[in-house]
Amino acid sequence: MTLLARFQNSRNALGFMFMLPAALLLLVFLTYPLGLGTWLGFTDAKVGRPGQWIGLENYAYLWGDAVTRLALFNTLLYTFVASVFKFILGLWLAILLNKNIRFKTFFRAVILLPYIVPTALSAIAFWWIYDSQFSIVSWALVKMGLIDHYIDFLGDPWNARISVIIANVWRGVPFVAITLLAGLQTISPSYYEASAIDGATPWQQFRHVTMPLLTPIIAVVMTFSVLFTFTDFQLIYVITRGGPLNATHLMATLSFQRAISGGALGEGAAIAIAMVPFLLACVMFSFFGLQRRAWQQGGSDK
């Protein structure tokens, strides 16, 4: 048998060849930028100047920088609160759309609109909704007599944090809902029929049938949701630019501000690289959790 014939009959060799184009794309468009960013994080590079190796000086400076610590707090708060609400609302919508309701197909299509609309366009819409002078929300509340003056959505630090979280939840819920809906449709109706015969209530069916069988899907979709939320940039940059008083700066927006607007490429790269451990922790938590037989079988680990 010739070498070519052996190669064609080898599953490992063929698998390698099929994976090679994707591996090359990842190498060019992911590995190189990540490697370059890591290198810049250890230098004092500026825009137009390559910089010199300074070791951990950028990270030591950022550790003591109040704005960076505030950005980390904002990122963790933003990610946690938005992810929790996206999960709750997404699961509720998935269960609702999984039922036999009228115009079910229409509602399934409509629910995708917030996700397919360009992020910048969504952010501009929310920026108008939150405008201090022309806010439709404030106008409606004033007309209903619930408030006597317009709300300063983006001028107050905590109002701004809540406002951008709401915008992120609105945009991210469809992704969670549609993915969980797909997971719900893989659950056989026979499980619910058997539990109903045994006298299980709807809540007991949800707790002991739906949730255990849906847990692997939840783990995957929420991992992606957390990653997307933690690294969010467009929504924050268009609506608030990180203001007021850095109250909505996330690690991604602060990295852009320091590296591009401020010209400190090394410092900005260090902020971006500092996000990697948090992202890896999230991925590892989901990965090792999915390895447990309890999650794969929908039962308790024994």
Side-chain angles (χ1 to χ4, degrees):
M1 183 179 292
T2 65
L3 181 62
L4 179 60
R6 291 180 180 178
F7 182 81
Q8 292 175 336
N9 292 326
S10 172
R11 295 180 60 184
N12 292 334
L14 287 176
F16 174 78
M17 288 301 298
F18 285 131
M19 290 296 296
L20 186 59
L24 291 175
L25 287 175
L26 288 175
L27 182 65
V28 174
F29 294 106
L30 181 63
T31 306
Y32 173 73
L34 180 62
L36 179 60
T38 303
W39 164 260
L40 290 174
F42 293 101
T43 69
D44 61 352
K46 305 287 184 182
V47 173
R49 181 169 64 83
Q52 301 294 324
W53 176 270
I54 58 173
L56 297 175
E57 288 186 21
N58 283 327
Y59 296 94
Y61 168 74
L62 294 173
W63 181 260
D65 181 32
V67 176
T68 305
R69 293 200 301 269
L70 178 60
L72 177 59
F73 166 77
N74 292 336
T75 304
L76 295 176
L77 176 71
Y78 180 80
T79 302
F80 176 77
V81 177
S83 297
V84 168
F85 277 97
K86 280 188 283 189
F87 169 69
I88 295 173
L89 294 174
L91 181 60
W92 174 70
L93 284 173
I95 293 173
L96 184 63
L97 294 175
N98 196 44
K99 298 181 181 295
N100 292 321
I101 59 176
R102 297 182 64 183
F103 308 111
K104 180 168 60 176
T105 304
F106 171 76
F107 288 122
R108 287 179 178 177
V110 169
I111 199 176
L112 279 173
L113 287 178
Y115 190 69
I116 63 177
V117 171
T119 305
L121 184 59
S122 301
I124 291 173
F126 273 100
W127 177 79
W128 174 73
I129 290 172
Y130 294 143
D131 187 86
S132 59
Q133 296 182 354
F134 306 104
S135 169
I136 186 64
V137 176
S138 294
W139 178 84
L141 294 176
V142 169
K143 290 298 182 180
M144 289 187 291
L146 298 178
I147 59 175
D148 57 4
H149 63 278
Y150 277 30
I151 301 172
D152 189 9
F153 287 104
L154 302 180
D156 177 80
W158 277 105
N159 283 351
R161 290 188 179 105
I162 295 171
S163 297
V164 294
I165 287 173
I166 291 173
N168 182 272
V169 170
W170 178 85
R171 177 164 176 77
V173 162
F175 170 73
V176 177
I178 294 300
T179 309
L180 294 184
L181 175 61
L184 285 172
Q185 293 184 335
T186 65
I187 301 176
S188 174
S190 61
Y191 291 113
Y192 297 102
E193 295 170 359
S195 61
I197 293 174
D198 291 337
T201 64
W203 166 250
Q204 289 173 328
Q205 289 180 333
F206 172 78
R207 179 181 177 185
H208 298 290
V209 178
T210 303
M211 285 303 293
L213 295 176
L214 199 60
T215 298
I217 305 298
I218 292 174
V220 173
V221 70
M222 291 312 299
T223 298
F224 280 101
S225 178
V226 168
L227 294 179
F228 294 155
T229 307
F230 193 91
T231 58
D232 195 9
F233 173 82
Q234 295 182 67
L235 207 61
I236 300 296
Y237 189 76
V238 174
I239 296 177
T240 65
R241 294 290 200 280
L245 302 175
N246 301 310
T248 60
H249 252 318
L250 305 185
M251 298 289 282
T253 57
L254 183 63
S255 173
F256 177 84
Q257 184 191 68
R258 297 283 177 89
I260 307 303
S261 302
L265 291 178
E267 188 176 322
I271 296 174
I273 296 302
M275 299 167 60
V276 173
F278 296 95
L279 300 176
L280 286 178
C282 177
V283 172
M284 290 296 102
F285 177 80
S286 176
F287 175 78
F288 287 111
L290 287 173
Q291 301 307 307
R292 293 177 52 193
R293 293 184 61 187
W295 284 23
Q296 294 175 349
Q297 297 179 354
S300 58
D301 201 8
K302 296 181 180 180

